[in-house]
Amino acid sequence: MVKIENSKVLLRDGQIFHIGDIKIECFLVPGHTWGHMAYLIDDTYLFTGDTLWFGADGGYSFINMLAENNKVAVRSLAVLENRLRERGIRPMVITGHTGWTDDLDFAFAHRDKVCNSWVRQKPHDPDAPYDAYDESDDTEEKARNIRLKKQNRK
């Protein structure tokens, strides 16, 4: 068991705190999970985690079958976009799985839609390999019988 001796702090929507000279603002975006947060760093970088999923044609609310509540997730995405636009903030938007963009219009292109995991959607870069949840070649047999190559250490 790992035991970490430090206090835990519950963050609130709109809370701003600093780590050294870095300003961090919290945005509550429930839907993926009830307490899901996005973090705006120095009004420049927005880490959305699993709030957004980028398709080739823009951002959607995160994957439908991985959300606590898809309707809440879509509402949260719209609220997040409105808060950024009302303040005139156009940060680099960094997702948890599908990359980043500095185009706010692209990031929120499908703010009213959920990424449907039952339909194979194109990745952000159409030339990039599709890797979302295709684990068909991950078999127990391969896991037990294929050995990793030994790395040369200097």
Side-chain angles (χ1 to χ4, degrees):
M1 181 170 89
V2 175
K3 191 171 185 179
I4 299 172
E5 297 293 336
N6 63 349
S7 61
K8 308 300 186 268
V9 177
L10 185 62
L11 301 172
R12 298 178 322 275
D13 182 48
Q15 182 175 348
I16 297 172
F17 63 96
H18 290 81
I19 298 175
D21 293 336
I22 301 169
K23 174 186 164 191
I24 303 164
E25 183 174 354
C26 305
F27 292 87
L28 181 63
V29 284
H32 175 62
T33 64
W34 295 116
H36 197 75
M37 291 281 218
Y39 300 96
L40 181 64
I41 312 299
D42 290 332
D43 294 332
T44 303
Y45 305 98
L46 179 68
F47 288 88
T48 65
D50 293 346
T51 301
L52 273 170
W53 181 272
F54 290 155
D57 57 349
Y60 294 81
S61 179
F62 195 70
I63 301 173
N64 59 337
M65 65 185 222
L66 297 177
E68 293 285 340
N69 187 303
N70 287 303
K71 288 181 182 178
V72 171
V74 168
R75 280 196 306 265
S76 292
L77 192 57
V79 168
L80 177 62
E81 178 189 18
N82 289 338
R83 289 171 74 181
L84 296 171
R85 290 190 188 275
E86 284 173 0
R87 290 172 46 189
I89 298 173
R90 298 186 68 83
M92 180 180 299
V93 179
I94 305 160
T95 69
H97 297 273
T98 53
W100 63 274
T101 184
D102 56 3
D103 181 347
L104 215 55
D105 295 326
F106 176 85
F108 293 99
H110 305 286
R111 74 187 69 69
D112 58 339
K113 296 178 185 162
V114 176
C115 176
N116 185 347
S117 61
W118 303 113
V119 177
R120 185 176 168 131
Q121 292 180 318
K122 295 178 183 175
H124 173 70
D125 177 353
D127 296 326
Y130 181 81
D131 67 351
Y133 302 104
D134 181 9
E135 299 172 358
S136 59
D137 65 341
D138 290 347
T139 64
E140 183 177 352
E141 181 181 344
K142 284 186 177 180
R144 292 183 183 277
N145 297 315
I146 295 177
R147 301 283 179 220
L148 298 175
K149 293 180 183 177
K150 190 172 186 175
Q151 299 296 313
N152 294 329
R153 294 188 178 218
K154 295 181 180 184

